[in-house]
Amino acid sequence: MPAAGIAPGGSGKEYPGNLTPFVTVTCVVAAMGGLIFGYDIGISGGVTSMDSFLLKFFPSVYRKKHADDTVNQYCQYDSQTLTMFTSSLYLAALLSSIVASTVTRVFGRKLSMLFGGLLFFAGALVNGFAQAVWMLILGRILLGFGIGFANQSVPLYLSEMAPYRYRGSLNIGFQLSITVGILVANVLNFFFNKIKGGWGWRLSLGGAMVPALIITIGSLVLPDTPNSMIERGQTEEAKTKLQRIRGVEDVDEEFDDLVAASAQSKLVEHPWTNLLQRKYRPHLAMAVCIPFFQQLTGINVIMFYAPVLFNSIGFGDDAALMSAVITGIVNVCATMVSIYGVDKWGRRFLFLEGGVQMLICQVVVAACIGAKFGIDGNPGDLPKWYSIIVVLFICIYVAGFAWSWGPLGWLVPSEIFPLEIRSAAQSVNVSVNMIFTFAVAQIFLMMLCHLKFGLFLFFAFFVVVMSIFVYFFLPETKGIPIEEMGQVWRSHWYWSRFVEAEAGHGNGNMEMAAKVV
Ligand code: BGC
């Protein structure tokens, strides 16, 4: 996912450099990193709604799904093994991102990308040829390990290769490629489900091999970043490399800054204990609250389980897969709105507007489902208007997320952490995100079974809480250079008591070599 080291705003410095072929290829590989993550997010819900897949691996779920329609529809997918199939990936990603942080730092970004690509490939292979549930889960765990490595190294690689002034947009660009990955998965599920013989799910799951191969080959042919080479003592080679990457001879200023930043970052001895100091309280609070709230919007209920959800609330298999394609398209388009507006309208506006929009939609969807399915989950015949309203409001909800908490949930943390705690804070951010992604994936189907339509009100409640949090506690960071970020806390009505009298945080140059971990 988008990570630290990408600096929106600027220090006022202009390093010379062009969008060279190097940089372009880098962007392609980085896009593959986002794509494969999105693909894995989107693919599992579709295959779990396919009959042939259920019959093979989860026959009890299949029987429940096709039992008499008067049976409680809310509970038809409630199976812990089925959710384990989706959620195991996030637990594995959490664990491997911890290992990957060391590999990325000590052995360079390329090696982490290579591991990521190979693990993805292995995971997709095992999944595509799966014969038993354990193979499915093993495949998801391998994919998860791959995500840990790729999400650690790809954004970092990207931010270090990209010319300085393109970094901000590349950050949300990575989120955009995640949403494209989700959409591709939804579209492929729709078509593969139509394959006669019922083996289309194998193509869906095995399809992840394509971006996996591109990342693997990319990591073999691409150069390591100058930052990483300097960090590992290859200073002379790093300069030549920087000249080639930027396509200009005159890279002295940027190069000197990289060397200085690397030296500075080596002085940061205890990033973890640093993080606990009182003056970093606002940063720690954001590193925990932002990813927590992002997941408690309930977005992944839609991203993981849209086809299953649409199926549960009365759509046929095909209509359910099609509706997932529609929400996927909305997700991509609304992310573009965010790229356009984030530096114009500011972060707070998008957060608050997105919050209100999501809240209204959640209440409407809960009311619609409640009205038709009631408490016993037995709807009788479902009229067309009902399906249209549900899909429409789910789309408006997805749009609300996709221009607020989706990209900003990654962008804001990456711009508020000062260098001396950046590595640790970013790890906290990623870990909290993965833990709650796992939790939502694991308990959603059970919650749907027990909370029924009230499930949407559960997430609506959190949307209210997070909007209040943003309103009172999140300062605007639009257009503020990284090196002046300290000032937003010092002038904040609440956070000032923690950071008062502190000198400015970080340094614009240092951010060039920021390490995620
Ligand atoms: C979130 C993911 C989510 C995706 C949806 C990302 O920002 O971290 O959990 O699935 O957005 O587009």
Side-chain angles (χ1 to χ4, degrees):
M1 60 228 50
I6 300 175
S11 65
K13 276 194 187 187
E14 283 287 324
Y15 300 125
N18 307 316
L19 265 184
T20 56
F22 261 136
V23 176
T24 315
V25 176
T26 302
C27 292
V28 172
V29 173
M32 290 300 135
L35 198 87
I36 202 164
F37 183 42
Y39 190 84
D40 290 328
I41 291 174
I43 206 74
S44 54
V47 293
T48 41
S49 77
M50 293 180 191
D51 278 348
S52 53
F53 180 81
L54 286 180
L55 196 58
K56 185 165 175 64
F57 298 107
F58 306 96
S60 63
V61 179
Y62 177 83
R63 278 194 298 277
K64 244 198 271 181
K65 182 178 165 195
H66 289 276
D68 187 354
D69 270 356
T70 55
V71 166
N72 183 348
Q73 301 286 304
Y74 292 125
C75 298
Q76 54 173 331
Y77 286 98
D78 182 19
S79 148
Q80 288 297 309
T81 4
L82 187 73
T83 34
M84 204 60 203
F85 166 63
T86 300
S87 63
S88 50
L89 184 147
Y90 301 93
L91 211 53
L94 171 67
L95 296 179
S96 78
S97 62
I98 299 168
V99 181
S101 65
T102 315
V103 176
T104 307
R105 192 179 63 235
V106 180
F107 300 104
R109 286 72 172 128
K110 269 178 64 147
L111 200 72
S112 274
M113 292 199 317
L114 179 64
F115 280 161
L118 290 174
L119 285 162
F120 275 140
F121 191 81
L125 198 72
V126 173
N127 267 348
F129 287 99
Q131 296 298 337
V133 175
W134 69 264
M135 287 180 81
L136 285 181
I137 295 183
L138 175 69
R140 292 288 285 179
I141 290 176
L142 288 171
L143 288 171
F145 284 149
I147 285 173
F149 274 96
N151 283 359
Q152 172 72 27
S153 52
V154 173
L156 195 57
Y157 186 86
L158 177 69
S159 69
E160 291 175 347
M161 288 299 249
Y164 188 46
R165 56 186 177 280
Y166 294 110
R167 287 189 193 175
S169 40
L170 284 179
N171 185 311
I172 300 191
F174 195 77
Q175 166 76 14
L176 184 67
S177 66
I178 295 177
T179 61
V180 171
I182 298 175
L183 176 61
V184 170
N186 290 335
V187 171
L188 292 184
N189 274 336
F190 178 76
F191 287 110
F192 290 157
N193 186 41
K194 294 184 184 306
I195 293 180
K196 299 257 176 312
W199 47 271
W201 60 267
R202 290 198 185 277
L203 292 182
S204 297
L205 296 180
M209 279 192 272
V210 178
L213 266 184
I214 301 179
I215 297 179
T216 309
I217 296 170
S219 71
L220 291 173
V221 299
L222 288 170
D224 225 334
T225 64
N227 314 49
S228 178
M229 295 169 83
I230 295 169
E231 202 171 25
R232 287 175 293 131
Q234 307 162 359
T235 319
E236 274 316 300
E237 298 93 314
K239 185 158 186 183
T240 324
K241 185 82 0 123
L242 186 63
Q243 287 166 332
R244 286 191 59 201
I245 294 169
R246 294 284 173 258
V248 290
E249 282 297 308
D250 172 25
V251 292
D252 288 353
E253 193 181 10
E254 180 175 4
F255 184 75
D256 291 345
D257 283 346
L258 288 183
V259 175
S262 169
Q264 280 288 346
S265 71
K266 284 200 175 121
L267 297 178
V268 181
E269 273 179 35
H270 305 292
W272 291 99
T273 25
N274 273 353
L275 195 56
L276 295 176
Q277 290 173 25
R278 185 177 160 85
K279 63 180 176 183
Y280 298 127
R281 213 46 59 76
H283 310 87
L284 183 60
M286 295 302 161
V288 173
C289 292
I290 291 181
F292 169 77
F293 284 139
Q294 190 205 50
Q295 290 307 316
L296 267 287
T297 55
I299 188 64
N300 280 324
V301 161
I302 307 295
M303 293 303 142
F304 296 157
Y305 296 116
V308 167
L309 181 74
F310 286 128
N311 214 246
S312 302
I313 58 179
F315 292 39
D317 284 0
D318 229 29
L321 288 171
M322 192 60 211
S323 309
V325 172
I326 297 173
T327 54
I329 294 173
V330 171
N331 194 16
V332 172
C333 297
T335 306
M336 290 180 189
V337 173
S338 190
I339 294 181
Y340 172 81
V342 69
D343 288 319
K344 280 196 171 58
W345 310 318
R347 285 72 168 140
R348 280 170 57 86
F349 171 78
L350 284 173
F351 269 127
L352 295 172
E353 192 283 335
V356 173
Q357 191 170 324
M358 286 192 282
L359 176 65
I360 294 171
C361 295
Q362 282 162 325
V363 172
V364 172
V365 170
C368 282
I369 299 180
K372 276 284 145 199
F373 283 77
I375 303 287
D376 59 5
N378 180 3
D381 278 343
L382 292 167
K384 197 153 185 89
W385 65 260
Y386 161 84
S387 322
I388 295 174
I389 301 239
V390 170
V391 174
L392 182 71
F393 276 88
I394 288 189
C395 284
I396 304 176
Y397 160 81
V398 168
F401 174 86
W403 59 54
S404 62
W405 283 91
L408 301 185
W410 296 107
L411 176 65
V412 171
S414 86
E415 60 189 12
I416 59 171
F417 302 140
L419 178 71
E420 59 276 21
I421 56 158
R422 187 170 297 157
S423 63
Q426 181 63 10
S427 292
V428 171
N429 179 35
V430 174
S431 309
V432 172
N433 199 295
M434 288 295 147
I435 290 168
F436 286 96
T437 306
F438 168 79
V440 169
Q442 187 61 29
I443 62 176
F444 162 68
L445 292 176
M446 195 178 75
M447 281 170 72
L448 179 65
C449 181
H450 295 287
L451 291 182
K452 306 177 167 75
F453 60 89
L455 175 66
F456 295 91
L457 300 178
F458 170 85
F459 289 117
F461 166 77
F462 278 100
V463 170
V464 173
V465 175
M466 68 188 77
S467 299
I468 294 174
F469 175 83
V470 167
Y471 186 80
F472 287 108
F473 296 104
L474 187 78
E476 181 59 66
T477 50
K478 173 187 111 179
I480 301 191
I482 302 286
E483 65 271 30
E484 282 155 35
M485 204 53 84
Q487 140 219 327
V488 304
W489 308 111
R490 281 194 296 280
S491 54
H492 189 270
W493 72 273
Y494 180 74
W495 297 118
S496 56
R497 69 196 70 183
F498 295 96
V499 295
E500 251 164 6
E502 279 302 321
H505 290 310
N507 170 316
N509 305 337
M510 285 182 207
E511 123 342 279
M512 296 296 297
K515 286 184 297 189
V516 171
V517 226

